[in-house]
Protein backbone atom coordinates (compact mmCIF):
# COMPACT_ATOMS: atom_id res chain seq x y z
CA UNK A 1 0.00 0.00 0.00
CA UNK A 2 1.71 3.18 -1.21
CA UNK A 3 1.79 5.44 1.84
CA UNK A 4 2.78 9.01 2.68
CA UNK A 5 3.02 11.00 5.90
CA UNK A 6 2.51 14.76 5.75
CA UNK A 7 2.92 16.97 8.80
CA UNK A 8 1.12 20.29 9.22
CA UNK A 9 -1.66 19.23 6.87
CA UNK A 10 -4.69 21.05 8.24
CA UNK A 11 -4.18 24.08 6.01
CA UNK A 12 -1.97 25.75 3.45
CA UNK A 13 0.73 23.80 1.66
CA UNK A 14 0.23 20.67 3.76
CA UNK A 15 -3.48 20.42 3.02
CA UNK A 16 -3.00 21.14 -0.69
CA UNK A 17 -0.20 18.59 -0.83
CA UNK A 18 -2.34 15.88 0.76
CA UNK A 19 -5.11 16.46 -1.78
CA UNK A 20 -2.66 16.57 -4.70
CA UNK A 21 -0.88 13.35 -3.66
CA UNK A 22 -4.17 11.54 -3.05
CA UNK A 23 -4.21 10.94 -6.81
CA UNK A 24 -1.14 8.70 -6.51
CA UNK A 25 -1.18 7.23 -3.00
CA UNK A 26 -3.46 4.62 -1.48
CA UNK A 27 -3.00 5.87 2.09
CA UNK A 28 -1.92 9.28 3.35
CA UNK A 29 -1.43 10.02 7.04
CA UNK A 30 -1.87 13.68 7.93
CA UNK A 31 -1.32 15.45 11.21
CA UNK A 32 -1.49 18.84 12.85
CA UNK A 33 -1.32 20.14 16.39
CA UNK A 34 -4.99 20.64 17.27
CA UNK A 35 -7.31 21.30 14.29
CA UNK A 36 -8.85 17.85 14.01
CA UNK A 37 -11.91 19.14 12.15
CA UNK A 38 -9.70 20.63 9.45
CA UNK A 39 -7.81 17.35 9.14
CA UNK A 40 -11.05 15.46 8.69
CA UNK A 41 -12.06 17.88 5.93
CA UNK A 42 -8.76 17.20 4.20
CA UNK A 43 -9.22 13.44 4.60
CA UNK A 44 -12.69 13.75 3.11
CA UNK A 45 -11.29 15.51 0.04
CA UNK A 46 -8.65 12.79 -0.32
CA UNK A 47 -11.30 10.10 -0.20
CA UNK A 48 -12.84 11.48 -3.39
CA UNK A 49 -9.67 10.29 -5.13
CA UNK A 50 -9.98 6.84 -3.56
CA UNK A 51 -7.19 7.57 -1.11
CA UNK A 52 -7.63 6.54 2.52
CA UNK A 53 -6.67 9.10 5.13
CA UNK A 54 -5.34 8.61 8.64
CA UNK A 55 -5.58 11.71 10.86
CA UNK A 56 -3.52 12.49 13.93
CA UNK A 57 -3.56 15.52 16.21
CA UNK A 58 -0.56 16.23 18.37
CA UNK A 59 2.73 18.06 18.63
CA UNK A 60 5.34 16.82 16.15
CA UNK A 61 8.04 18.29 18.38
CA UNK A 62 7.04 15.57 20.88
CA UNK A 63 9.09 12.46 20.02
CA UNK A 64 6.66 10.10 21.74
CA UNK A 65 3.71 11.45 19.75
CA UNK A 66 5.61 10.99 16.49
CA UNK A 67 6.72 7.49 17.46
CA UNK A 68 3.16 6.42 18.30
CA UNK A 69 1.81 7.97 15.10
CA UNK A 70 4.34 6.21 12.89
CA UNK A 71 3.69 2.90 14.65
CA UNK A 72 -0.01 3.25 13.86
CA UNK A 73 0.77 3.97 10.20
CA UNK A 74 3.13 1.01 9.91
CA UNK A 75 0.58 -1.28 11.56
CA UNK A 76 -1.96 -0.15 8.98
CA UNK A 77 0.09 -0.15 5.76
CA UNK A 78 3.36 -1.87 6.58
CA UNK A 79 5.44 0.95 5.11
CA UNK A 80 5.96 4.68 4.63
CA UNK A 81 7.14 5.53 1.12
CA UNK A 82 7.13 9.30 1.44
CA UNK A 83 7.65 11.72 4.32
CA UNK A 84 6.87 15.41 3.85
CA UNK A 85 7.94 17.62 6.73
CA UNK A 86 5.73 20.66 6.34
CA UNK A 87 4.81 21.63 9.92
CA UNK A 88 6.19 24.99 10.93
CA UNK A 89 5.59 28.41 12.40
CA UNK A 90 6.91 31.89 11.63
CA UNK A 91 7.17 35.17 13.49
CA UNK A 92 8.22 38.70 12.64
CA UNK A 93 9.96 41.01 15.07
CA UNK A 94 13.28 42.38 16.23
CA UNK A 95 15.80 39.76 17.32
CA UNK A 96 16.32 41.62 20.62
CA UNK A 97 12.64 41.11 21.42
CA UNK A 98 12.75 37.33 20.95
CA UNK A 99 12.44 35.64 24.35
CA UNK A 100 14.21 32.39 25.20
CA UNK A 101 10.86 30.58 25.25
CA UNK A 102 9.92 31.96 21.82
CA UNK A 103 13.31 30.92 20.44
CA UNK A 104 12.89 27.41 21.83
CA UNK A 105 9.35 27.12 20.46
CA UNK A 106 10.61 28.04 16.98
CA UNK A 107 13.40 25.47 17.21
CA UNK A 108 11.08 22.75 18.48
CA UNK A 109 8.32 23.30 15.94
CA UNK A 110 10.43 23.90 12.84
CA UNK A 111 13.56 21.83 13.45
CA UNK A 112 13.15 19.28 16.23
CA UNK A 113 9.98 18.05 14.52
CA UNK A 114 12.04 17.20 11.42
CA UNK A 115 14.53 15.28 13.53
CA UNK A 116 11.67 13.41 15.21
CA UNK A 117 9.87 12.33 12.05
CA UNK A 118 13.04 11.39 10.17
CA UNK A 119 14.50 9.54 13.15
CA UNK A 120 11.37 7.40 13.49
CA UNK A 121 10.56 6.93 9.80
CA UNK A 122 14.03 6.33 8.33
CA UNK A 123 14.53 2.85 9.88
CA UNK A 124 11.40 1.68 8.05
CA UNK A 125 12.67 3.16 4.78
CA UNK A 126 16.04 1.49 5.32
CA UNK A 127 14.26 -1.82 5.69
CA UNK A 128 12.56 -1.29 2.32
CA UNK A 129 15.69 0.16 0.68
CA UNK A 130 13.69 3.03 -0.77
CA UNK A 131 11.86 6.21 0.16
CA UNK A 132 11.45 9.92 -0.41
CA UNK A 133 11.82 12.67 2.19
CA UNK A 134 10.96 16.27 1.37
CA UNK A 135 11.55 19.02 3.90
CA UNK A 136 9.61 22.24 3.40
CA UNK A 137 12.07 25.08 3.82
CA UNK A 138 12.27 28.75 2.89
CA UNK A 139 14.40 31.14 0.88
CA UNK A 140 15.16 32.79 4.20
CA UNK A 141 17.08 29.64 5.07
CA UNK A 142 19.36 30.52 2.14
CA UNK A 143 19.82 34.26 2.56
CA UNK A 144 18.27 35.20 5.92
CA UNK A 145 15.63 37.83 6.60
CA UNK A 146 15.75 40.90 8.79
CA UNK A 147 13.28 40.64 11.68
CA UNK A 148 12.95 36.88 11.08
CA UNK A 149 16.21 35.68 12.62
CA UNK A 150 14.75 32.70 14.51
CA UNK A 151 12.75 31.50 11.51
CA UNK A 152 15.71 31.95 9.16
CA UNK A 153 17.97 30.01 11.54
CA UNK A 154 15.63 27.02 11.65
CA UNK A 155 15.22 26.92 7.88
CA UNK A 156 18.97 27.23 7.34
CA UNK A 157 19.43 24.29 9.70
CA UNK A 158 16.85 22.27 7.78
CA UNK A 159 18.77 22.90 4.55
CA UNK A 160 22.01 21.59 6.07
CA UNK A 161 20.16 18.69 7.70
CA UNK A 162 18.74 17.79 4.29
CA UNK A 163 22.10 17.77 2.52
CA UNK A 164 23.80 15.74 5.25
CA UNK A 165 21.04 13.15 5.62
CA UNK A 166 20.85 12.76 1.84
CA UNK A 167 24.51 11.70 1.73
CA UNK A 168 23.95 9.22 4.54
CA UNK A 169 20.87 7.61 3.00
CA UNK A 170 21.82 7.63 -0.69
CA UNK A 171 23.41 4.15 -0.53
CA UNK A 172 20.02 2.84 0.57
CA UNK A 173 18.17 4.41 -2.39
CA UNK A 174 16.44 6.98 -0.17
CA UNK A 175 16.28 10.53 -1.50
CA UNK A 176 16.21 13.59 0.76
CA UNK A 177 15.51 17.04 -0.65
CA UNK A 178 14.24 20.40 0.55
CA UNK A 179 12.18 23.07 -1.14
CA UNK A 180 13.05 26.67 -0.36
CA UNK A 181 9.71 28.32 -0.90
CA UNK A 182 9.39 32.02 -1.39
CA UNK A 183 6.16 33.84 -0.57
CA UNK A 184 3.20 31.46 -0.62
CA UNK A 185 -0.30 32.81 -0.04
CA UNK A 186 -1.21 30.90 3.11
CA UNK A 187 -2.45 31.67 6.61
CA UNK A 188 1.19 32.03 7.65
CA UNK A 189 1.17 35.39 5.86
CA UNK A 190 -2.10 36.51 7.45
CA UNK A 191 -0.22 39.03 9.63
CA UNK A 192 0.53 41.09 6.53
CA UNK A 193 -1.77 43.99 5.70
CA UNK A 194 -3.10 44.35 2.14
CA UNK A 195 -0.58 47.15 1.62
CA UNK A 196 2.29 44.96 2.85
CA UNK A 197 1.18 42.08 0.62
CA UNK A 198 1.04 44.42 -2.37
CA UNK A 199 4.54 45.73 -1.62
CA UNK A 200 5.82 42.16 -1.28
CA UNK A 201 4.33 41.12 -4.60
CA UNK A 202 6.01 44.08 -6.28
CA UNK A 203 9.37 42.61 -5.19
CA UNK A 204 8.63 39.27 -6.85
CA UNK A 205 9.41 39.20 -10.59
CA UNK A 206 6.38 37.00 -11.17
CA UNK A 207 4.25 39.74 -9.61
CA UNK A 208 2.41 37.65 -7.06
CA UNK A 209 2.73 35.05 -4.34
CA UNK A 210 2.51 31.36 -5.18
CA UNK A 211 -0.69 29.51 -4.34
CA UNK A 212 -0.77 26.49 -2.04
CA UNK A 213 -1.89 24.41 -5.00
CA UNK A 214 1.16 25.43 -7.03
CA UNK A 215 3.41 24.56 -4.09
CA UNK A 216 1.73 21.17 -3.75
CA UNK A 217 2.08 20.48 -7.47
CA UNK A 218 5.79 21.24 -7.27
CA UNK A 219 6.19 18.82 -4.37
CA UNK A 220 4.35 16.19 -6.39
CA UNK A 221 6.63 16.72 -9.38
CA UNK A 222 9.74 16.55 -7.21
CA UNK A 223 8.59 13.17 -5.94
CA UNK A 224 8.51 11.95 -9.54
CA UNK A 225 12.22 12.61 -9.95
CA UNK A 226 14.59 9.61 -10.02
CA UNK A 227 15.95 8.80 -6.55
CA UNK A 228 19.40 9.82 -7.88
CA UNK A 229 18.14 13.39 -7.46
CA UNK A 230 18.99 13.92 -3.80
CA UNK A 231 20.63 16.35 -1.41
CA UNK A 232 19.20 19.40 -3.15
CA UNK A 233 17.61 22.56 -1.77
CA UNK A 234 15.43 23.74 -4.66
CA UNK A 235 14.01 27.25 -4.80
CA UNK A 236 10.39 27.86 -5.72
CA UNK A 237 9.98 31.61 -5.43
CA UNK A 238 8.89 33.15 -8.73
CA UNK A 239 12.42 34.49 -9.34
CA UNK A 240 12.36 36.50 -6.11
CA UNK A 241 15.70 35.69 -4.48
Amino acid sequence: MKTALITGASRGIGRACAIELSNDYELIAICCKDKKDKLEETASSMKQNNCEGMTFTGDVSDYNFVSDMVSSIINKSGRIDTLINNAGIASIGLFTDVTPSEWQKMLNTNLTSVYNTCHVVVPHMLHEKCGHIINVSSVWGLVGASCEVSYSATKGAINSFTKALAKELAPSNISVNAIAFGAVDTDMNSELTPEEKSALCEEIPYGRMATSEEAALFISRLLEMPSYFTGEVVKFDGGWI
Side-chain angles (χ1 to χ4, degrees):
M1 182 181 289
K2 191 176 181 183
T3 303
L5 167 59
I6 305 172
T7 68
S10 65
R11 59 182 183 173
I13 294 174
R15 171 182 165 80
C17 187
I19 295 172
E20 175 65 33
L21 294 186
S22 66
N23 293 294
D24 301 314
Y25 287 74
E26 298 167 274
L27 174 67
I28 298 180
I30 53 178
C31 71
C32 71
K33 190 169 185 179
D34 51 24
K35 295 180 176 62
K36 186 171 180 60
D37 57 335
K38 295 294 185 181
L39 282 183
E40 295 298 341
E41 289 176 10
T42 302
S44 178
S45 296
M46 289 158 45
K47 191 174 182 180
Q48 295 177 19
N49 292 326
N50 297 316
C51 176
E52 183 177 356
M54 293 182 73
T55 60
F56 301 88
T57 52
D59 188 350
V60 284
S61 69
D62 179 345
Y63 190 90
N64 290 329
F65 165 72
V66 172
S67 181
D68 290 344
M69 175 175 62
V70 170
S71 292
S72 296
I73 299 167
I74 295 297
N75 288 337
K76 177 78 172 180
S77 71
R79 60 190 295 144
I80 295 178
D81 300 275
T82 299
L83 168 62
I84 298 174
N85 285 307
N86 171 69
I89 58 174
S91 65
I92 299 175
L94 293 173
F95 171 71
T96 50
D97 291 336
V98 177
T99 66
S101 61
E102 289 171 338
W103 168 262
Q104 196 60 54
K105 181 180 179 181
M106 186 72 71
L107 286 178
N108 288 343
T109 305
N110 290 6
L111 183 59
T112 301
S113 63
V114 175
Y115 162 82
N116 288 346
T117 54
C118 288
H119 198 256
V120 176
V121 169
V122 163
H124 299 287
M125 290 184 170
L126 288 171
H127 181 267
E128 300 294 332
K129 296 294 183 182
C130 65
H132 293 276
I133 298 173
I134 292 183
N135 298 318
V136 172
S137 187
S138 166
V139 291
W140 296 149
L142 298 172
V143 300
S146 175
C147 295
E148 292 189 64
V149 172
S150 302
Y151 179 78
S152 299
T154 60
K155 294 303 183 179
I158 285 174
N159 294 344
S160 294
F161 177 99
T162 297
K163 293 179 180 181
L165 187 61
K167 292 178 179 179
E168 191 168 322
L169 298 182
S172 297
N173 196 40
I174 300 168
S175 67
V176 188
N177 294 290
I179 302 175
F181 283 109
V184 182
D185 194 8
T186 68
D187 289 348
M188 189 173 283
N189 295 312
S190 60
E191 296 180 3
L192 299 177
T193 65
E195 292 75 19
E196 289 171 331
K197 282 188 177 182
S198 177
L200 173 60
C201 290
E202 288 179 4
E203 295 179 11
I204 302 170
Y206 215 82
R208 63 172 176 82
M209 289 188 273
T211 66
S212 295
E213 290 72 23
E214 287 173 320
L217 185 60
F218 186 68
I219 291 172
S220 175
R221 293 295 182 267
L222 194 58
L223 288 170
E224 294 175 357
M225 294 291 288
S227 60
Y228 194 80
F229 184 83
T230 192
E232 298 296 331
V233 179
V234 188
K235 285 195 304 175
F236 188 80
D237 68 349
W240 184 23
I241 300 301

